[in-house]
Amino acid sequence: MSLAVTLSRAQEGVAAPQVMVEVHLSGGLPSTHIVGLPEAAVREARDRVRVAIQSAAFEYPNRKVTVNLAPAELPKDGGRFDLAIALGILAAGNQVPREKLDDCEFLGELALSGQLRPVSGVLPALLRARARGRRVVVPRANADEAALIPEVDVRVADTLSDVCGWLRGSHELAQPAMALSLAPDNDGGPDLIDVRGQLQARRALEIAAVGGHHLLLVGPPGTGKTMLAERLPGILPPLSESEALETCAVLSVAGQTVDPAHWRRRPFRAPHHTASAVALVGGSSQPRPGEISLAHNGVLFLDELPEFSRHVLEVLREPLESGHILISRAARQLRFPAQFQLVAAMNPCPCGYAGESNQRCRCTPDQVQRYRSRISGPLLDRIDLCVDVPTVPLSELSAQRTTHDEDSATVRQRVVRARNHALARAGQPNAEISNRELERDCALGPAERKWFDAALEKLGLSARAYHRTLRVARTIADLDNGAAALDKHHLAEALQYRRLSMLSE
């Protein structure tokens, strides 16, 4: 029978649906047809595969070759199916054994010389193949990615000839070496000990790290806002293996290199303020993850927040609440994860020096208002913590370090301990707990309730701000040795970070 079937996987967001490559040889004029909703790069595979097979010293069938990529309704793009198509053609022509193809999946683009070139999205494909208990053959250039997945039989190859020789039993294909770093990776990044002074900002950064809260830093130029933001990943709790694999899967789909030595380091993304909405949330004609998805399980830092286009900032509102982004196009919908922690920084006015004692600011009230109004109230309402980052006196910069100048490792120990209180209670960080869980975990006594209601009425906070303030208070209580009940001082500290209304006034 001149029919052979090989298995591969498509790329659809961070999913990797299975694709059956069916190859049939029949009589008629020699030709090759690829069907099953192939994009241009897949249709061109017929020429790459033919020359690659001939370069590998095999015979290309002098018959009518029909290649069907099933399921037919799933769009297929890229060169990832080249290897599976080539092996299907060789198996249909009895040049490689068909029985060895049944429990294997193949990924890789073919060069005209028969060399295997790397493809994107290998990590999600390996995760799905592991669930099915199948072996996977990938190009050697994807070996570092493949090494991150435990308990899956992955083989790496350099050429089409290597894969055919392995199927024939003449030699073995190598397996990738395990990742260099299997332990949590929090070392080697910027350290909090480099920040001098800024005790309130450091406290807010610690609270944000414990609860997963969004943070806005407001202050003049050169006061350390960017330094503080860059050091947040270093004090966050370490990624679990599943979280690290999710994060690497997004990088893989985006075609970015995964560093096997630091694959469990939390991502830190800092797009320029000229970035478009598509660059931030993802999209294009062939949807790819944007900055918010590349920051999944990590930190998205937006410096000079008012300089971003208002339209660009508004697209953040839904992902901040939902933790994912749904990209809709005419023919398809793709969902990318976006469970990121937003840290933003801005100046208090256009010149940056409003409120400074040296009276350098010459901005009019109208200019200041227009500058601050570039950020909408609904977006500000989704930010849990707002803190001033004032100018640090030169005498403090040159003074000897004190016990307040802690390094990231010391702060991280407190963060992990407090986060564990939240995980034991609700199974997730405080910023992600539902309103029903909030009522259970943040019950207030009569005195605290009366005081809190009066403060909320005076500040005119929204219902969303009310719930977010309670979540921050719960985080502060967790830092307070895991206090079971919320006291007034927990609520008061949480309320002082709700100074967002002044920016939209």
Side-chain angles (χ1 to χ4, degrees):
M1 181 177 67
S2 301
L3 175 66
V5 178
T6 57
L7 299 175
S8 187
R9 291 200 176 266
Q11 181 176 312
E12 191 174 40
V14 290
Q18 180 180 285
V19 172
M20 297 180 65
V21 180
E22 301 171 328
V23 180
H24 183 261
L25 306 183
S26 62
L29 292 175
S31 60
T32 302
H33 302 278
I34 299 178
V35 297
L37 208 59
E39 302 289 344
V42 182
R43 291 195 299 271
E44 293 169 354
R46 60 176 178 264
D47 298 316
R48 292 194 300 270
V49 168
R50 183 182 68 254
V51 177
I53 287 177
Q54 294 169 344
S55 298
F58 289 96
E59 180 183 350
Y60 194 85
N62 192 28
R63 304 168 67 182
K64 181 178 180 180
V65 180
T66 304
V67 180
N68 179 42
L69 306 178
E73 69 273 8
L74 178 70
K76 292 95 178 173
D77 61 345
R80 59 195 305 107
F81 306 107
D82 287 6
L83 179 58
I85 293 173
L87 293 174
I89 293 173
L90 293 175
N94 298 316
Q95 299 185 71
V96 296
R98 302 178 191 182
E99 60 273 9
K100 294 288 290 288
L101 302 174
D102 293 340
D103 64 341
C104 292
E105 297 182 6
F106 302 93
L107 294 169
E109 179 182 333
L110 286 173
L112 298 184
S113 62
Q115 294 284 327
L116 285 176
R117 289 174 173 160
V119 295
S120 62
V122 165
L123 206 57
L126 293 178
L127 290 171
R128 296 293 293 273
R130 181 177 67 175
R132 293 292 187 92
R134 295 201 182 107
R135 291 180 294 177
V136 187
V137 178
V138 300
R140 187 173 296 277
N142 290 118
D144 286 344
E145 242 179 280
L148 303 179
I149 308 291
E151 302 172 358
V152 61
D153 186 357
V154 183
R155 305 301 174 101
V156 296
D158 294 304
T159 65
L160 175 62
S161 297
D162 292 340
V163 181
C164 293
W166 175 67
L167 292 172
R168 288 172 158 183
S170 62
H171 64 264
E172 283 294 320
L173 290 179
Q175 293 181 296
M178 290 303 295
L180 300 178
S181 175
L182 296 178
D185 182 8
N186 289 93
D187 300 322
D191 199 291
L192 201 57
I193 201 169
D194 300 328
V195 179
R196 304 298 298 270
Q198 304 296 5
L199 297 185
Q200 186 183 28
R202 290 172 67 110
R203 169 70 173 175
L205 201 70
E206 187 173 340
I207 294 171
V210 172
H213 303 291
H214 306 305
L215 172 66
L216 175 62
L217 303 169
V218 183
T223 56
K225 301 185 294 295
T226 301
M227 285 185 68
L228 286 161
E230 290 174 343
R231 282 148 183 79
L232 178 56
I235 66 173
L236 286 169
L239 286 171
S240 66
E241 183 177 302
S242 61
E243 289 174 330
L245 288 176
E246 280 182 8
T247 303
C248 291
V250 176
L251 289 176
S252 177
V253 168
Q256 299 194 15
T257 303
V258 178
D259 184 355
H262 303 293
W263 71 286
R264 295 188 70 170
R265 180 174 293 178
R266 288 188 181 269
F268 179 85
R269 306 292 300 187
H272 193 261
H273 64 259
T274 56
S276 66
V278 170
L280 210 59
V281 302
S284 81
S285 57
Q286 297 295 332
R288 291 289 184 267
E291 291 291 338
I292 64 173
S293 295
L294 295 172
H296 181 58
N297 290 322
V299 176
L300 176 70
F301 177 51
L302 302 183
D303 199 7
E304 306 296 344
L305 186 65
E307 302 300 333
F308 281 82
S309 163
R310 177 136 183 178
H311 167 66
V312 171
L313 293 179
E314 292 306 296
V315 300
L316 291 176
R317 286 160 56 175
E318 290 83 0
L320 283 172
E321 293 284 339
S322 65
H324 66 267
I325 181 71
L326 184 65
I327 299 175
S328 298
R329 293 295 179 264
R332 62 202 298 197
Q333 281 189 337
L334 292 181
R335 176 180 173 135
F336 292 104
Q339 193 68 54
F340 63 93
Q341 194 166 348
L342 176 64
V343 179
M346 62 177 288
N347 297 325
C349 68
C351 76
Y353 297 101
E356 289 288 279
S357 58
N358 55 21
Q359 298 182 348
R360 292 172 62 181
C361 178
R362 293 293 183 268
C363 299
T364 65
D366 191 45
Q367 289 175 323
V368 174
Q369 171 60 24
R370 282 200 302 271
Y371 177 76
R372 293 178 176 177
S373 64
R374 295 178 187 174
I375 311 168
S376 70
L379 179 61
L380 288 172
D381 209 31
R382 288 167 167 81
I383 298 177
D384 306 308
L385 306 166
C386 178
V387 63
D388 286 329
V389 187
T391 301
V392 179
L394 294 178
S395 58
E396 190 171 337
L397 290 176
S398 57
Q400 290 187 347
R401 298 188 182 276
T402 67
T403 55
H404 297 297
D405 298 319
E406 297 175 312
D407 61 9
S408 292
T410 302
V411 177
R412 186 167 61 247
Q413 290 178 357
R414 288 198 303 269
V415 169
V416 171
R417 187 165 55 247
R419 174 73 71 92
N420 287 338
H421 290 307
L423 296 179
R425 182 178 57 249
Q428 55 190 339
N430 292 322
E432 299 174 21
I433 61 177
S434 66
N435 291 344
R436 181 173 298 179
E437 292 169 323
L438 196 64
E439 294 174 1
R440 179 197 66 197
D441 299 333
C442 300
L444 302 178
E448 288 79 12
R449 170 61 64 188
K450 181 179 180 181
W451 180 88
F452 190 51
D453 288 346
L456 292 174
E457 185 176 353
K458 184 175 181 179
L459 293 173
L461 298 182
S462 67
R464 180 188 288 115
Y466 160 75
H467 290 121
R468 287 185 176 273
T469 302
L470 277 181
R471 290 186 179 96
V472 173
R474 180 65 264 172
T475 299
I476 295 170
D478 288 338
L479 273 169
D480 189 10
N481 297 317
L486 298 185
D487 292 333
K488 285 183 181 179
H489 68 277
H490 300 142
L491 298 168
E493 185 175 0
L495 282 170
Q496 79 167 349
Y497 296 119
R498 293 301 308 182
R499 302 176 62 243
L500 303 166
S501 59
M502 72 172 188
L503 298 176
S504 56
E505 289 177 354

